[in-house]
Amino acid sequence: MTTALGVVAAKSPLAEIFKALKIAEFNPKGEPVSKFLKSLCAHPGVDCYDLLSALTGKNCCLNASTVDLFLKNEPQPTSTKNMMHLAQIVRDRRLAKYNYGNSGFNVMHYGEAAPPVYNLSNIPRDLPIFISYGGRDALSDTGDVQMLLDSLKLHDVSRLSVQFIKDYAHADFIMGVNAKDVVYSQVLSFFTKLLK
């Protein structure tokens, strides 16, 4: 993750504080998260003037009305545990299972003191996979995608499609004005071809 806002958020203990206070829901529109976000925006190198770009990267293909509609409904709440897990992955730079913060709990869940790393080579080699990623995406940056692709190097090439869109950032995939033609038509084509 290359977004300064995301990295600062992942390094903060907010999710752990929520858990300690028994706040199960991490609601981006709620007052505690809103206050937290304001404190993050005060960090050097974090520019929250354009909050969407600060988090997702410089999007190329959005229009104001689509963004306004999106922000009326998003982001949705998630569990505090989910946010803690994301922060652990960013902090530890490992794609591992959730760390319960207690070796006893980890042993109870995983049979070992530390959470195991996800073994992506266990993905069935014939599973159809379509991966589309952007050169400006600050959440799923190209380095992370390359690590994923390296773990899929033995995948059946007829069941794997990779699309790189140089100018796309994270939100472009969801609401880019050209996403239907650039991304979604490619996804449908890939899976339709597999059905024949």
Side-chain angles (χ1 to χ4, degrees), residues 12-26:
S12 79
L14 180 72
E16 287 84 351
I17 292 168
F18 271 38
K19 182 180 177 193
L21 296 174
K22 299 188 187 302
I23 300 173
E25 182 180 71
F26 190 93

Side-chain angles (χ1 to χ4, degrees), residues 9 15 25 28 65-66 70 78-79 90 93-94 101 106 109 117 134 157 174 189:
E25 182 180 71
S65 63
T66 304
F70 177 79
T78 188
S79 72
V90 172
R93 303 180 69 84
R94 310 171 52 231
N106 286 335
H109 288 276
V117 172
V157 294
I174 302 165
S189 174

Side-chain angles (χ1 to χ4, degrees), residues 19 39-40 46 74 77 85-86 92 94 114 125 127-128 134 142 144-145 162 168 175 185 190 196:
K19 182 180 177 193
S39 72
L40 293 180
V46 177
E74 299 293 335
H85 188 213
L86 176 60
D92 300 342
R94 310 171 52 231
R125 292 183 181 154
L127 180 74
T142 56
D144 288 342
V145 174
V162 179
Y168 261 39
M175 55 186 163
S185 64
F190 172 70
K196 291 181 181 179

